[in-house]
Amino acid sequence: MAFSALLHAEINPKPFVIPELKTWTGAEGKVVPSGRIVVKSSKLQGVAQALAADYQEMFGTALTVAKGSVKPGDIVLELKKDPTLGDEGYKLHATSSILISAATEKGAFWGTRTLLQLSEQAEDRGIPCGTATDVPEYRLRGFMIDCGRKFIPLAYLQKLTKMLAYYKMNTLQIHLNDNGFRQFFGDDWDKTQAAFRLESETYPGLTAKDGSYSKKEFIDLQKLAEKNGVTIIPEIDVPAHSLAFTHYKPEIGSKDYGMDHLDLFNPETYTFLDGLFKEYLEGPNPVFRGKRVHIGTDEYSNRDTAVVEKFRAFTDRYIRLVESYGKQAVVWGALTHAKGKTPVKSENVLMHIWYNGFANPADMKEQGYQLVSIPDGYVYIVPAAGYYYDYLNTEYLYNSWTPATIGSQKFEENDPAIEGGMFAVWNDHAGNGISVKDIHHRIFPALQTLAVKCWSGKNTSLPFADYNTRRLSLSEAPGVNEQGRLGKPETVVLSRDEVKSGETLNAEEIGYNYSVSFKINGEEEAKGTELFRSANAVFYLSDPRNGLLGFERDGYLNTFNYRVEKGKEVTLTIAGNNKSVSLFVDGKLREELGPKTLYVIRERNLANYQVEGAYATSPKVYDPSDKIYYQRTLVFPLRHAGNFRSRITSLEVKQAE
């Protein structure tokens, strides 16, 4: 790409990026990259190569990594001692060339994320001239995803590390085990969903059968994250939320507090857990590569003094066990809930404060814990559960929250006890039909907003309405389009006069909100006949069970009460959003598959309103209290046409607003 001369114009205002630049001094004009990255330190070779790869991925333009003198339009990467920048800060200086300088490789990498965001907002990839100094307010900026109750495929986690990195979020916590709620599984612990998602050779058979990660996959994921400036915190959640372990070894389950609790008075519990942690922590190249390991310690019973003291001893033991392998221990805050006399180590221990009733932030600070602000009332997403947030209130968070606010307690900004902030997705309602695409749809706007608040703190200058509009102009990450956005809203993004059986289209999928319309001249189709398939979903002309129109994703099959008729030509339109999928036949709504309420019926829900003996038979009447909201959404697949017999014509795919 040829160098474009500086254009003399007005002084450039602060450009839009996420997170917002901390300081900006505007100059006149812009500089268009020449196609070269000049590296001033061999330590930045990897950063330069990553930038070149991402630039190629996003814009189709190859950048050459070079050394030597700087020419107009060059991107220059430089390491420079500057104590004001810390470990993650950087300076960006755009004049005749574009200079990114930092004290560390990570700081320089964050600078390249800013460069990419600026580039994607200009057709000529030009960078506005000026100088930015950008340093985060908080050291830890992150996200936690619950993989225990909903398996999250490795491919998504890989993309998630790139998304976090693109917005300068540096921490991904992976919650490796958990279980569903017993009331949704017949009040039977043995039938209740539970999973541990990581390969174990110490305990063959422990790993979940419905989705897991091999040790190699997990190691490679951490390596990918490291290349993107992201630290993965693996979490083994004990001694509560531990039904996966008691399913495997029932004798270590608590008979007093429930089988999702480990029995803290049984020596076998400690033998089992010591072996589990050892498997992932020992040796020169452990499975858990990062500097931090989370041991859980969330929501254990505090019914009596004896169990409280035992829980405190358990927490202290596993903090020290993790430390014995050279790692920093991370825990959920629980020591107000479990207040007692048994000492629990606090020095160099990171504590997630999620609910002040479980751990009072001021008290935990006084005891010496480093705090992570992750207050449930602000930053917990529980998809389609009917409690906590389904989607975070990003407007409130943007305007009013920083990691210094933990529940009802407000600390001073930059309080040294607060390491940073995170948000979380908890997949509490195992089996509720939620898809990874649904989860992503909730994550992404929250990720962008939390990135702003954890990097910039209270130092935001844009009104929320402006921020919320302009954030939509940015990609999810280089090469990542999990939302399935195709083209501009209210446009036809893909069309075909005829779709041939077995052909491949030039789009993977289309995300919410969309309409897919086509004419079909029906033929008799065998059960399982596909119309389209992507890497994530299948749309059936004839579903495998009943031969109906329907779709499958994430292991769930949903069907319309409609069957393709032989010899009949109709126009079918499928319209989908984040709540439902609708079928239109010749322009008329035939059926809408929206959230479906499923009630939990148990014997204790029996309601007796009948007069005994009044009739020969009395129907059973129930008064159910618990319910889940089963989700029937679809990001529509487009990549591969199936082997159908019907004739498909006039395909038109639209991206709605």
Side-chain angles (χ1 to χ4, degrees):
M1 186 182 291
F3 166 66
S4 174
L6 298 180
L7 303 178
H8 292 284
E10 296 180 356
I11 298 296
N12 291 316
K14 181 191 286 189
F16 179 77
V17 293
I18 295 176
E20 183 175 335
L21 296 172
K22 292 292 287 296
T23 69
W24 170 258
T25 302
E28 294 180 352
K30 64 180 178 180
V31 55
V32 177
S34 65
R36 295 202 326 153
I37 305 171
V38 178
V39 180
K40 292 294 187 179
S41 169
S42 60
K43 290 183 178 180
L44 294 178
Q45 193 72 19
V47 175
Q49 290 171 347
L51 173 60
D54 291 338
Y55 205 93
Q56 174 84 44
E57 180 79 57
M58 295 179 77
F59 312 126
T61 301
L63 300 181
T64 303
V65 180
K67 296 180 180 180
S69 60
V70 176
K71 300 175 182 178
D74 285 353
I75 299 167
V76 184
L77 302 181
E78 175 185 71
L79 282 180
K80 188 176 182 179
K81 290 184 179 180
D82 186 341
T84 66
L85 297 179
D87 291 334
E88 295 188 278
Y90 65 93
K91 288 183 178 179
L92 186 149
H93 187 54
T95 53
S96 61
S97 60
I98 305 159
L99 171 65
I100 296 172
S101 62
T104 66
E105 294 98 308
K106 181 175 278 192
F109 181 77
W110 294 146
T112 66
R113 304 304 91 182
T114 294
L115 176 64
L116 289 170
Q117 287 190 22
L118 293 172
S119 298
E120 71 166 309
Q121 295 177 74
E123 288 189 13
D124 62 0
R125 311 305 168 209
I127 305 300
C129 290
T131 301
T133 301
D134 211 12
V135 182
E137 291 291 297
Y138 292 93
R139 294 178 294 276
L140 188 152
R141 307 173 302 279
F143 169 60
M144 189 230 74
I145 189 163
D146 172 8
C147 301
R149 287 175 284 208
K150 163 70 179 174
F151 177 62
I152 307 297
L154 182 71
Y156 183 76
L157 294 180
Q158 291 167 336
K159 292 173 184 175
L160 185 56
T161 64
K162 296 179 181 179
M163 287 184 274
L164 290 165
Y166 199 54
Y167 293 98
K168 305 185 183 76
M169 298 281 269
N170 63 10
T171 302
L172 172 60
Q173 183 173 323
I174 299 179
H175 188 77
L176 286 167
N177 67 284
D178 216 313
N179 48 268
F181 296 162
R182 184 178 61 168
Q183 62 263 36
F184 299 124
F185 298 88
D187 272 330
D188 187 336
W189 286 120
D190 290 339
K191 296 176 181 178
T192 300
Q193 182 272 354
F196 178 66
R197 300 294 182 188
L198 188 56
E199 175 192 3
S200 176
E201 294 172 281
T202 303
Y203 302 114
L206 172 63
T207 309
K209 305 297 188 295
D210 66 333
S212 64
Y213 319 113
S214 71
K215 291 183 190 178
K216 183 181 184 306
E217 287 173 335
F218 201 73
I219 289 169
D220 289 345
L221 175 65
Q222 292 168 88
K223 289 178 178 178
L224 174 66
E226 290 162 11
K227 289 180 180 178
N228 285 280
V230 175
T231 296
I232 287 180
I233 300 179
E235 179 188 354
I236 297 176
D237 196 1
V238 289
H241 300 273
S242 298
L243 187 62
F245 304 136
T246 67
H247 274 179
Y248 178 81
K249 194 176 179 66
E251 59 267 32
I252 64 173
S254 174
K255 309 304 185 288
D256 295 322
Y257 307 112
M259 290 295 286
D260 60 339
H261 284 49
L262 298 179
D263 183 352
L264 302 185
F265 297 89
N266 184 348
E268 284 298 308
T269 296
Y270 302 91
T271 301
F272 174 83
L273 290 181
D274 289 355
L276 191 66
F277 278 105
K278 178 182 179 182
E279 180 171 1
Y280 306 122
L281 287 169
E282 73 172 347
N285 298 298
V287 177
F288 291 169
R289 288 173 51 88
K291 64 181 180 180
R292 290 169 169 157
V293 173
H294 203 302
I295 63 170
T297 72
D298 187 27
E299 295 187 301
Y300 200 89
S301 174
N302 67 345
R303 189 188 302 172
D304 57 61
T305 300
V307 78
V308 165
E309 299 300 340
K310 204 69 176 174
F311 171 81
R312 293 176 65 88
F314 176 97
T315 303
D316 185 73
R317 174 192 176 109
Y318 285 98
I319 287 172
R320 296 179 187 277
L321 181 78
V322 165
E323 290 180 343
S324 73
Y325 290 101
K327 308 292 186 180
Q328 182 184 26
V330 190
V331 299
W332 290 105
L335 296 183
T336 300
H337 176 74
K339 195 171 185 178
K341 297 178 180 179
T342 302
V344 181
K345 188 177 186 295
S346 61
E347 182 183 359
N348 194 39
V349 175
L350 201 61
M351 179 179 284
H352 285 30
I353 306 288
W354 67 279
Y355 175 58
N356 294 9
F358 265 75
N360 181 285
D363 291 347
M364 296 304 108
K365 173 186 173 180
E366 185 177 345
Q367 290 180 33
Y369 291 98
Q370 287 293 114
L371 309 183
V372 176
S373 178
I374 185 169
D376 61 345
Y378 294 121
V379 297
Y380 269 21
I381 298 170
V382 185
Y387 56 86
Y388 283 127
Y389 283 106
D390 194 21
Y391 288 78
L392 292 189
N393 185 343
T394 52
E395 181 173 6
Y396 177 83
L397 292 168
Y398 183 87
N399 289 330
S400 304
W401 186 82
T402 76
T405 299
I406 310 180
S408 60
Q409 294 188 21
K410 172 75 173 173
F411 292 80
E412 292 294 324
E413 294 293 329
N414 308 118
D415 188 311
I418 299 177
E419 189 75 6
M422 296 178 70
F423 73 108
V425 163
W426 295 101
N427 296 306
D428 284 11
H429 286 186
N432 70 344
I434 206 80
S435 72
V436 174
K437 294 292 185 181
D438 291 328
I439 293 169
H440 176 75
H441 200 258
R442 288 154 171 80
I443 288 173
F444 188 62
L447 190 160
Q448 289 180 309
T449 304
L450 268 291
V452 173
K453 301 306 292 184
C454 290
W455 182 281
S456 303
K458 63 180 181 180
N459 303 310
T460 53
S461 61
L462 271 183
F464 175 77
D466 292 346
Y467 154 79
N468 201 39
T469 298
R470 297 180 72 177
R471 73 175 181 84
L472 300 175
S473 67
L474 296 179
S475 301
E476 296 172 39
V480 177
N481 183 19
E482 281 294 298
Q483 294 188 100
R485 307 304 293 175
L486 299 180
K488 295 181 179 179
E490 303 301 333
T491 59
V492 175
V493 295
L494 190 152
S495 62
R496 286 283 191 283
D497 291 337
E498 184 172 359
V499 178
K500 299 291 188 181
S501 175
E503 79 169 293
T504 298
L505 303 184
N506 60 350
E508 182 70 26
E509 58 197 1
I510 185 166
Y512 319 132
N513 303 297
Y514 64 81
S515 68
V516 177
S517 181
F518 55 91
K519 286 183 180 179
I520 179 168
N521 196 320
E523 293 287 350
E524 191 169 326
E525 301 285 9
K527 288 182 180 180
T529 299
E530 300 175 4
L531 175 61
F532 288 119
R533 170 183 287 272
S534 70
N536 302 298
V538 179
F539 193 89
Y540 290 106
L541 286 179
S542 176
D543 87 274
R545 290 179 184 168
N546 300 304
L548 299 172
L549 203 71
F551 55 90
E552 179 183 340
R553 83 293 183 278
D554 290 67
Y556 296 95
L557 175 66
N558 297 285
T559 56
F560 296 99
N561 186 24
Y562 183 84
R563 193 182 308 272
V564 172
E565 295 184 51
K566 181 180 179 180
K568 186 174 182 181
E569 183 178 85
V570 294
T571 297
L572 300 182
T573 301
I574 298 94
N577 57 36
N578 65 325
K579 296 294 184 184
S580 64
V581 186
S582 298
L583 171 65
F584 296 82
V585 180
D586 290 332
K588 294 182 179 180
L589 178 64
R590 177 64 178 261
E591 188 176 4
E592 179 180 0
L593 302 181
K596 185 175 184 179
T597 304
L598 303 177
Y599 291 94
V600 178
I601 306 298
R602 295 166 293 195
E603 284 301 306
R604 64 183 176 87
N605 293 132
L606 275 172
N608 184 14
Y609 298 111
Q610 289 82 27
V611 177
E612 292 183 13
Y615 296 95
T617 60
S618 296
K620 285 187 176 182
V621 178
Y622 293 87
D623 184 17
S625 55
D626 292 310
K627 56 184 177 288
I628 62 173
Y629 305 101
Y630 176 72
Q631 304 298 298
R632 297 183 286 181
T633 54
L634 176 68
V635 167
F636 198 91
L638 290 169
R639 178 64 75 193
H640 303 291
N643 295 315
F644 45 76
R645 300 176 63 197
S646 302
R647 186 164 184 251
I648 308 296
T649 58
S650 303
L651 174 69
E652 191 173 84
V653 180
K654 288 183 179 179
Q655 184 78 72
E657 188 64 51

